Amino acid sequence: MASIETQNISSPHETRPFHAHGHMDVVTLGDFTLGKGTFEPGWRWSEDVKPIAGTDSCQARHTGVCVAGTMTVRMDDGTEQSIGAGDVVLIEPGHDAWVDGDEACVLYDTGVAAYAKPQ
């Protein structure tokens, strides 16, 4: 049977606050989850999400698009990549990340089903 579901990201099913610098708005439709992450200046995964996740590095696989700001991602092997507005990303598990500059980084991400969700 055909069906359609909608939910506007500005009225998310859930908002997951980061420790100090931002939040993740989450919409889940069936088995599809989309997050809109607002990573404020000063945000760093190892300081703002690590206490929630309880892992040494981020173990989520992220796929999405950056629509504002800039973020640097450092993989556990030391490889670094900067992400900016318009960049489509695939980030495998095993990384830290931080916001560059004084503008919030906004990312739409499909890899957030368990991201920043207290265990």
Side-chain angles (χ1 to χ4, degrees):
M1 177 164 67
S3 70
I4 187 168
E5 293 181 62
T6 65
Q7 178 78 25
N8 195 293
I9 195 73
S10 65
S11 299
H13 291 120
E14 158 182 30
T15 297
R16 301 177 191 159
F18 301 143
H19 181 69
H21 300 98
H23 61 278
M24 178 70 67
D25 291 326
V26 180
V27 169
T28 301
L29 302 174
D31 63 356
F32 174 70
T33 301
L34 178 73
K36 178 185 177 188
T38 302
F39 306 88
E40 297 170 354
W43 178 88
R44 187 175 186 108
W45 184 90
S46 53
E47 296 171 10
D48 287 285
V49 183
K50 181 178 180 174
I52 300 166
T55 55
D56 288 335
S57 61
C58 181
Q59 296 303 304
R61 182 178 195 260
H62 302 284
T63 54
V65 62
C66 179
V67 296
T70 306
M71 177 182 289
T72 298
V73 179
R74 179 183 295 145
M75 303 303 293
D76 288 349
D77 71 1
T79 304
E80 284 189 15
Q81 178 70 47
S82 290
I83 296 165
D87 289 339
V88 176
V89 300
L90 166 60
I91 306 167
E92 295 293 352
H95 57 272
D96 192 4
W98 55 90
V99 170
D100 297 313
D102 58 2
E103 179 185 359
C105 183
V106 179
L107 285 162
Y108 286 90
D109 185 354
T110 64
V112 298
Y115 184 80
K117 193 170 191 172
Q119 304 301 320

